[in-house]
Amino acid sequence: MDFTKRQKEIIDVSIRLISKGGIQELTIKNISKAIDVSEPAIYRHFDSKIDILLAILSYFEELTGDISEKSFNQEISSLSRIEDFFERLMDEFTENPSMAKVIFSEEIFQNDSRLSEKVVAIMKGHHRKILEVVKEGRENNEIRKDIPEKHITMFIMGAFRLLITRWRLSDFGFDLKEEGKELWNSMKILLSLSQSSVNYQKRIEDYLL
Amino acid sequence: MDFTKRQKEIIDVSIRLISKGGIQELTIKNISKAIDVSEPAIYRHFDSKIDILLAILSYFEELTGDISEKSFNQEISSLSRIEDFFERLMDEFTENPSMAKVIFSEEIFQNDSRLSEKVVAIMKGHHRKILEVVKEGRENNEIRKDIPEKHITMFIMGAFRLLITRWRLSDFGFDLKEEGKELWNSMKILLSLSQSSVNYQKRIEDYLL
Amino acid sequence: MDFTKRQKEIIDVSIRLISKGGIQELTIKNISKAIDVSEPAIYRHFDSKIDILLAILSYFEELTGDISEKSFNQEISSLSRIEDFFERLMDEFTENPSMAKVIFSEEIFQNDSRLSEKVVAIMKGHHRKILEVVKEGRENNEIRKDIPEKHITMFIMGAFRLLITRWRLSDFGFDLKEEGKELWNSMKILLSLSQSSVNYQKRIEDYLL
Amino acid sequence: MDFTKRQKEIIDVSIRLISKGGIQELTIKNISKAIDVSEPAIYRHFDSKIDILLAILSYFEELTGDISEKSFNQEISSLSRIEDFFERLMDEFTENPSMAKVIFSEEIFQNDSRLSEKVVAIMKGHHRKILEVVKEGRENNEIRKDIPEKHITMFIMGAFRLLITRWRLSDFGFDLKEEGKELWNSMKILLSLSQSSVNYQKRIEDYLL
DNA sequence: CATGAATGAGTTTTCATTCAT
DNA sequence: CATGAATGAAAACTCATTCAT
């Protein structure tokens, strides 16, 4: 992305400010105080506050785009690819918890139509991506087929989002990566085709004896 | 709850205002304009803006408390009780979409510690309630036991929250109750013990013949 | 007009401020300082700065409307009615010189379309009024007919406006009413039919003897 | 005048900016944007904003000085010389309407005493010039003598200024040169000695037959 | 001759809240 | 129970100008 150093700095402290106290905390004054310049100086780097928020979204868009590219272009099973995606995302959030607070707070961006549209676009992009991989997973007999694809995506994303929400409401009071791994394990049991059939296959064999 | 008529009115328009444009839209001026009184008049009914937000939370707490009591005290299966709970909630949201927008926007209430603590408390209450019912469901061999209880709750609540989120981001552009029902059907398939075992039980019997 | 006392006060100091240093001098801060209240207090009385400017125009519109009514509804000759109109206007300006500075400064009101439209409307109203009286004056053989009516109005108004302009550029350094009277005398000589014909009529008679 | 190319450019866009939206539109930012340089670059060419306004006045002073020299040094009748002056001025304005908007807006220059003094000086210069020619015209029995010279100048300049004012308020919606010519014709009828005496002389002769 | 970065002072306007009535 | 008038604090943003490069 073509952000200057100062712009990156502003994006960074803005995320931190929002994470600290919501958008109400994101004021030009607070930003300028945080990077120790005068208020008008901010306007050298962004035309308006909305543009800063737009930049935050672009930054997140790029970040998740990069991660998604890395995760989904691997030659591994579908579920492993999704797992990898969320793992990397949680790595990112663990290192930069503010991000987690901002990213799923859609209402921060509801002030302006340009913002809300971008939020929806990003969200749809993620859904599409996951949906795609889920589809593949079904074709390869990896993922169960008895419920609609879109519900599978909703289970995955919903649980993941709720985990993040709890993490930030608990003031980052638990190990996100650890809990995420456990959650994913359960998710795999729930969604994989093999898992369940294996269990019952065994029992059948017992019977057959 | 002991809210006066005017207080209820204020709570109501406040929810609508927040739903329309986030907390930034919730100003004393906007509230007073909406119920057509002067700004100082608001202070006859609430000591401060925070108290209005606190009242919104109380209102939601009471509402969900009522619903949860009705749903969970029925003599039906665990899953049916959970289903009933979400069904009633979606009925409520369909009738009052503003509610849906406000209720899962935890960051609205993060300004003040009294607010955020109450949000966390309410959320924990819901979790506890669902967790309890899930536990029961397992004891009755209704719900699968191969993954931790808390993950089951997270799947249920996560998917439900995400459905609501999508509903409001789509500007209430689909039939929440319809989609909710379908999602729940998939959920039942995923979580119920009987469902899957029945399938395989049948096949076993085939073998046994 | 339905302006409150405070509103009238604000209109008044605003005219004075503009007269002192152009619109650049008309700031909410300066207004509030002048009437010794806080800046936000101004907004109790006018929604915006534009509304203050609009009110100034309304005030002037009403003022000139009143004067024009008084002057033009008299049972005197056309030229006398125009004379009376300008006399009263100059009385007003002498008492309230700030008015003179603001009123002919059309560019003050060019920021906003609502303002500039009102300026044009007021100006056109005056033109129409004078034009009407000029027409009457011609029908009564009071005013010369050898040049278009609209040019007569332009001579009258142009000269009057220029007198005012000079008066304020001279920092109100001469007696406006005195100079205005003299200017009007010349104007009468220039425009009246009788004046010139009388002169020449006399000479003709001399010849005829 | 010794303005550099860049300075002339700045003067030019400044006039255009003022014409577009009053002085409020004349900001260093707008100037620099219009000529596509950085804001500090402006300060290479003018020490301050006041100096730009001063330069605009100088430019106008020089322009009208040139025109006046050309017009008034001709060996034609006084009225023809004045006519020529206004004709050339209107040519100029027609080609550069922004000029017309700025030039008669004395209040633009009232911020600073250096500015307002220069405005007054320029205006007085024009008056003096016209007055001089009017005087000559009277000595040559071209211009009527029954009203004071200074009033003649005021009629001429007042009507001309008002024409310009109307032209810009109408958004340059009519042909200035055409209307100016007609106005001047009426002016000649009004002011020339011969014109009127000729008319009546004829009638006298009729009588005498 | 030009610019990127910065700033102190100021702009209009909004905010939650108070107080006398 | 209500309001008109007010306010300190702060919001986003603009202004003319400076300075190191």
Side-chain angles (χ1 to χ4, degrees):
Chain A
M1 199 122 299
D2 40 356
F3 289 128
T4 66
K5 215 174 141 188
R6 263 285 198 246
Q7 282 180 319
K8 273 180 204 140
E9 212 181 341
I10 292 171
I11 292 171
D12 204 58
V13 304
S14 294
I15 291 173
R16 265 206 291 278
L17 284 167
I18 295 174
S19 119
K20 203 175 100 197
I23 336 177
Q24 318 237 53
E25 192 74 13
L26 186 72
T27 66
I28 301 294
K29 192 178 210 160
N30 284 345
I31 296 173
S32 62
K33 225 186 291 167
I35 66 175
D36 200 36
V37 292
S38 69
E39 292 179 48
I42 303 299
Y43 288 90
R44 275 282 138 203
H45 306 285
F46 286 103
D47 280 352
S48 74
K49 201 178 143 181
I50 297 262
D51 286 294
I52 297 177
L53 287 166
L54 236 23
I56 291 177
L57 288 179
S58 290
Y59 172 71
F60 180 61
E61 195 178 23
E62 202 199 0
L63 176 74
T64 52
D66 285 358
I67 291 181
S68 125
E69 213 167 312
K70 273 184 214 144
S71 298
F72 293 132
N73 289 346
Q74 289 176 89
E75 296 274 346
I76 49 175
S77 77
S78 295
L79 283 174
S80 298
R81 276 183 279 164
I82 297 175
E83 180 180 0
D84 191 68
F85 177 67
F86 285 116
E87 228 166 55
R88 283 174 197 267
L89 223 43
M90 288 188 300
D91 280 356
E92 187 63 39
F93 289 159
T94 302
E95 260 180 68
N96 187 3
S98 300
M99 203 61 182
K101 261 195 162 170
V102 174
I103 238 46
F104 292 145
S105 304
E106 288 88 9
E107 49 292 323
I108 291 175
F109 304 99
Q110 78 182 170
N111 279 321
D112 184 273
S113 63
R114 279 177 301 159
L115 289 172
S116 54
E117 275 160 26
K118 187 149 195 173
V119 165
V120 172
I122 293 175
M123 206 179 183
K124 277 191 180 161
H126 291 161
H127 275 266
R128 203 173 6 243
K129 206 83 205 171
I130 306 257
L131 200 63
E132 220 169 78
V133 184
V134 166
K135 243 177 221 170
E136 259 185 70
R138 294 179 140 203
E139 282 159 17
N140 306 336
N141 288 319
E142 253 185 83
I143 295 177
R144 57 193 298 167
K145 299 170 184 168
D146 50 355
I147 56 174
E149 276 153 0
K150 69 169 180 180
H151 288 165
I152 303 239
T153 2
M154 285 189 75
F155 292 133
I156 297 176
M157 297 186 74
F160 181 69
R161 284 175 63 106
L162 184 54
L163 179 67
I164 305 287
T165 298
R166 281 193 189 168
W167 185 54
R168 60 184 162 93
L169 288 183
S170 79
D171 238 333
F172 314 112
F174 58 79
D175 185 332
L176 177 65
K177 284 148 90 171
E178 192 57 46
E179 295 273 342
K181 194 162 282 180
E182 285 173 23
L183 181 66
W184 182 252
N185 278 336
S186 297
M187 191 80 82
K188 270 192 297 191
I189 295 174
L190 233 54
L191 300 181
S192 61
L193 198 65
S194 52
Q195 200 83 9
S196 51
S197 53
V198 162
N199 284 339
Y200 290 96
Q201 212 66 34
K202 269 193 192 146
R203 288 217 250 148
I204 290 166
E205 272 153 29
D206 290 350
Y207 266 87
L208 291 178
L209 292 180
Chain B
M1 202 128 296
D2 42 353
F3 289 130
T4 66
K5 215 174 141 187
R6 263 285 199 243
Q7 282 179 319
K8 272 180 204 139
E9 213 181 340
I10 292 171
I11 292 171
D12 203 58
V13 303
S14 294
I15 290 173
R16 265 206 292 278
L17 284 168
I18 295 174
S19 121
K20 204 176 97 195
I23 337 195
Q24 316 236 55
E25 192 75 14
L26 186 72
T27 66
I28 300 293
K29 193 180 199 171
N30 285 345
I31 297 173
S32 61
K33 222 186 295 167
I35 64 175
D36 201 36
V37 294
S38 71
E39 294 176 49
I42 304 298
Y43 288 89
R44 284 279 142 201
H45 308 286
F46 286 103
D47 281 352
S48 76
K49 201 178 144 183
I50 297 265
D51 287 294
I52 297 176
L53 287 166
L54 237 22
I56 291 176
L57 288 179
S58 291
Y59 172 72
F60 181 59
E61 195 178 23
E62 200 198 0
L63 176 76
T64 52
D66 284 359
I67 291 180
S68 125
E69 212 166 313
K70 274 185 214 144
S71 299
F72 293 133
N73 289 345
Q74 290 175 92
E75 295 276 343
I76 49 176
S77 77
S78 296
L79 283 174
S80 299
R81 275 181 280 164
I82 296 175
E83 180 180 359
D84 191 69
F85 177 68
F86 284 117
E87 230 167 53
R88 284 174 196 267
L89 222 44
M90 288 188 300
D91 280 356
E92 187 63 37
F93 290 158
T94 301
E95 259 180 71
N96 187 2
S98 300
M99 203 62 183
K101 261 195 163 169
V102 176
I103 238 46
F104 292 146
S105 304
E106 287 87 10
E107 48 292 321
I108 291 175
F109 305 99
Q110 77 183 168
N111 280 320
D112 185 274
S113 62
R114 276 176 301 160
L115 288 171
S116 54
E117 276 160 25
K118 187 148 197 172
V119 165
V120 172
I122 293 175
M123 205 179 185
K124 277 192 180 160
H126 291 161
H127 274 267
R128 201 173 7 243
K129 205 83 206 171
I130 307 254
L131 200 63
E132 220 169 77
V133 184
V134 166
K135 243 178 218 168
E136 258 185 72
R138 294 180 140 201
E139 282 160 18
N140 306 336
N141 287 320
E142 253 185 82
I143 295 177
R144 59 194 297 168
K145 299 171 186 167
D146 49 354
I147 55 174
E149 276 152 1
K150 68 168 181 183
H151 288 166
I152 304 243
T153 0
M154 284 189 75
F155 291 133
I156 297 175
M157 297 186 73
F160 182 69
R161 285 175 62 107
L162 183 53
L163 180 67
I164 303 288
T165 298
R166 281 191 189 173
W167 186 54
R168 62 185 163 90
L169 287 184
S170 79
D171 238 333
F172 313 112
F174 58 81
D175 184 332
L176 177 64
K177 284 147 89 171
E178 192 59 45
E179 296 273 340
K181 195 162 281 180
E182 284 173 25
L183 183 66
W184 181 251
N185 278 337
S186 296
M187 190 80 82
K188 270 192 297 191
I189 295 174
L190 234 55
L191 300 181
S192 61
L193 196 64
S194 51
Q195 200 85 5
S196 51
S197 51
V198 161
N199 284 340
Y200 291 98
Q201 211 67 35
K202 269 195 193 140
R203 288 216 248 148
I204 291 166
E205 271 153 29
D206 290 348
Y207 266 88
L208 291 178
L209 292 180
Chain C
M1 197 122 303
D2 42 355
F3 288 129
T4 66
K5 215 173 142 189
R6 262 285 199 246
Q7 282 179 320
K8 272 180 204 139
E9 212 181 339
I10 292 171
I11 291 171
D12 204 58
V13 304
S14 293
I15 291 173
R16 266 206 292 277
L17 283 169
I18 295 174
S19 119
K20 203 175 98 196
I23 338 196
Q24 318 237 56
E25 192 74 14
L26 185 71
T27 65
I28 301 294
K29 192 177 210 161
N30 284 345
I31 297 173
S32 61
K33 226 186 291 168
I35 64 175
D36 200 36
V37 293
S38 70
E39 293 177 47
I42 303 298
Y43 288 89
R44 274 281 138 202
H45 306 285
F46 286 102
D47 279 352
S48 74
K49 202 178 144 180
I50 297 263
D51 286 293
I52 297 176
L53 287 166
L54 235 25
I56 292 176
L57 288 179
S58 290
Y59 173 71
F60 180 60
E61 196 178 22
E62 203 199 359
L63 176 74
T64 52
D66 285 358
I67 292 181
S68 127
E69 215 168 311
K70 273 184 213 144
S71 299
F72 293 132
N73 289 345
Q74 290 177 89
E75 296 274 344
I76 49 175
S77 78
S78 295
L79 283 175
S80 298
R81 277 182 279 164
I82 297 175
E83 180 180 359
D84 190 67
F85 177 68
F86 284 116
E87 228 167 55
R88 284 175 196 266
L89 222 44
M90 288 188 300
D91 280 356
E92 187 63 39
F93 289 158
T94 302
E95 258 180 70
N96 188 1
S98 299
M99 203 62 183
K101 261 195 163 170
V102 175
I103 238 46
F104 292 145
S105 303
E106 287 89 9
E107 49 292 323
I108 290 176
F109 304 99
Q110 78 182 173
N111 279 320
D112 184 274
S113 63
R114 278 177 303 160
L115 288 172
S116 54
E117 276 160 26
K118 187 150 197 173
V119 165
V120 172
I122 293 175
M123 205 179 185
K124 277 190 181 162
H126 292 161
H127 274 267
R128 204 175 4 244
K129 206 84 207 172
I130 306 254
L131 200 63
E132 222 169 76
V133 184
V134 166
K135 244 178 219 170
E136 259 186 70
R138 294 178 140 204
E139 281 159 19
N140 305 336
N141 288 320
E142 251 185 82
I143 295 178
R144 57 192 298 167
K145 300 170 185 167
D146 50 356
I147 56 174
E149 276 153 1
K150 68 169 182 182
H151 288 165
I152 304 242
T153 4
M154 284 189 76
F155 291 133
I156 297 175
M157 296 186 75
F160 181 68
R161 284 175 63 105
L162 183 53
L163 180 67
I164 304 287
T165 298
R166 281 192 189 168
W167 185 53
R168 62 187 163 91
L169 287 184
S170 78
D171 238 333
F172 315 112
F174 58 81
D175 184 332
L176 177 66
K177 284 147 91 172
E178 193 57 48
E179 295 274 342
K181 196 162 279 179
E182 285 172 24
L183 181 67
W184 183 252
N185 279 336
S186 297
M187 189 80 80
K188 270 193 297 192
I189 295 173
L190 234 53
L191 299 181
S192 61
L193 196 66
S194 53
Q195 199 81 9
S196 50
S197 53
V198 162
N199 285 340
Y200 291 97
Q201 211 67 32
K202 270 195 193 142
R203 289 218 248 147
I204 289 166
E205 273 152 31
D206 290 350
Y207 268 88
L208 291 179
L209 291 181
Chain D
M1 201 125 298
D2 43 354
F3 288 130
T4 66
K5 213 173 144 190
R6 263 285 200 243
Q7 281 180 320
K8 272 181 203 138
E9 212 182 340
I10 292 171
I11 292 171
D12 203 58
V13 304
S14 294
I15 290 173
R16 265 206 292 278
L17 284 168
I18 295 173
S19 121
K20 203 177 97 196
I23 338 180
Q24 317 236 56
E25 192 75 14
L26 186 71
T27 66
I28 301 293
K29 193 181 198 169
N30 285 346
I31 297 173
S32 61
K33 223 187 293 167
I35 64 175
D36 202 35
V37 294
S38 71
E39 294 176 49
I42 304 298
Y43 289 90
R44 284 277 142 201
H45 307 285
F46 286 103
D47 280 353
S48 76
K49 201 177 144 182
I50 297 267
D51 287 294
I52 297 176
L53 287 166
L54 238 21
I56 291 176
L57 289 178
S58 291
Y59 172 72
F60 181 59
E61 196 177 23
E62 201 198 359
L63 176 76
T64 52
D66 285 358
I67 292 180
S68 124
E69 213 166 311
K70 275 184 212 143
S71 299
F72 293 132
N73 289 347
Q74 290 176 89
E75 296 277 343
I76 49 176
S77 76
S78 295
L79 283 174
S80 298
R81 275 182 282 164
I82 296 175
E83 180 180 358
D84 191 69
F85 177 67
F86 284 117
E87 230 167 54
R88 285 175 195 267
L89 222 44
M90 288 188 300
D91 280 355
E92 186 63 36
F93 288 158
T94 302
E95 258 180 72
N96 187 3
S98 300
M99 203 61 183
K101 262 195 162 170
V102 175
I103 238 46
F104 292 146
S105 303
E106 289 88 8
E107 49 291 323
I108 290 175
F109 305 99
Q110 78 183 171
N111 279 321
D112 185 273
S113 61
R114 277 177 301 160
L115 289 172
S116 53
E117 276 159 25
K118 186 149 197 172
V119 165
V120 172
I122 293 175
M123 206 177 183
K124 278 192 179 158
H126 292 160
H127 275 268
R128 200 171 11 241
K129 206 84 206 171
I130 306 257
L131 202 62
E132 220 169 75
V133 184
V134 166
K135 243 178 220 168
E136 258 185 70
R138 294 180 139 200
E139 281 160 19
N140 305 337
N141 287 322
E142 251 184 85
I143 294 176
R144 58 194 296 168
K145 300 172 185 167
D146 51 354
I147 57 174
E149 276 152 1
K150 69 169 179 182
H151 287 165
I152 304 240
T153 0
M154 284 189 77
F155 291 133
I156 297 175
M157 297 186 74
F160 181 69
R161 285 175 62 107
L162 184 52
L163 180 67
I164 304 287
T165 298
R166 281 190 189 172
W167 186 53
R168 61 184 162 92
L169 287 184
S170 79
D171 237 333
F172 313 113
F174 58 81
D175 184 332
L176 178 65
K177 285 147 89 171
E178 193 58 46
E179 296 273 342
K181 194 162 282 181
E182 287 172 23
L183 181 67
W184 181 253
N185 278 338
S186 296
M187 190 80 81
K188 271 194 296 192
I189 296 173
L190 232 55
L191 300 182
S192 62
L193 199 63
S194 52
Q195 198 84 6
S196 51
S197 51
V198 162
N199 284 339
Y200 290 98
Q201 213 66 35
K202 269 195 192 142
R203 288 218 249 148
I204 291 165
E205 273 153 28
D206 290 346
Y207 266 89
L208 292 178
L209 293 180

